[in-house]
Amino acid sequence: MTGFGGAAAIGAALVLLAAPVHIDVQVVHASNGPTHVDAGLEKMRDAFQKSGLHFSSYRRLSQQTVALVVGTPAHVSLPDKTATLSLVPGEHRRPEVAVSVPPLKTTVSLGSEASAFLQAGPHENGQLVLVLTALKQ
């Protein structure tokens, strides 16, 4: 390999490392209040029911897209707290995202065809749930 070819390969690797990963982040309140499911949350309700979690109400409190790059966390507001999302450095087949919602700290692998549901703590006689979905680039 020539010096130029090696430099080009390193440059391409740096561009890939710097490319942001776009994540759709929804904050959902799941409770046993009056029956209601916001549009687009039917799959979440079905997945919860299949796993034995039964709520009658699924309300989207917020939705935003965050662009994650290694070394720069994104902050998502929840009622009474903040979630921090960070892209995990390294080579992964799918984006690896570290999520911190005190006291929860976990890492999830996000595919483009599925969402990750993370319990984010109690809220008004129910649970807050973070719904994370990697968007196609």
Side-chain angles (χ1 to χ4, degrees), residues 57-136:
S57 176
Y58 294 84
R59 295 188 183 273
R60 183 180 299 102
L61 302 180
S62 67
Q63 182 172 11
Q64 68 186 76
T65 298
V66 298
L68 296 178
V69 293
V70 173
T72 305
H75 304 285
V76 176
S77 294
L78 285 76
D80 302 323
K81 59 178 115 181
T82 299
T84 303
L85 285 66
S86 303
L87 193 60
V88 176
E91 294 184 32
H92 308 283
R93 284 188 46 213
R94 300 181 200 167
E96 298 277 331
V97 178
V99 181
S100 174
V101 184
L104 168 76
K105 287 186 180 185
T106 191
T107 300
V108 295
S109 178
L110 297 177
S112 60
E113 299 299 320
S115 296
F117 304 119
L118 301 172
Q119 182 180 355
H123 178 67
E124 295 180 1
N125 298 317
Q127 292 291 319
L128 290 175
V129 181
L130 277 179
V131 182
L132 307 178
T133 309
L135 300 175
K136 292 181 182 180

Side-chain angles (χ1 to χ4, degrees), residues 22-42:
H22 293 89
I23 309 291
D24 177 68
V25 181
Q26 297 181 63
V27 178
V28 175
H29 180 229
S31 71
N32 285 315
T35 300
H36 177 85
V37 180
D38 282 347
L41 297 179
E42 298 85 2

Side-chain angles (χ1 to χ4, degrees), residues 2-26:
T2 66
F4 177 74
I10 290 171
L14 291 175
V15 168
L16 289 175
L17 287 175
V21 174
H22 293 89
I23 309 291
D24 177 68
V25 181
Q26 297 181 63

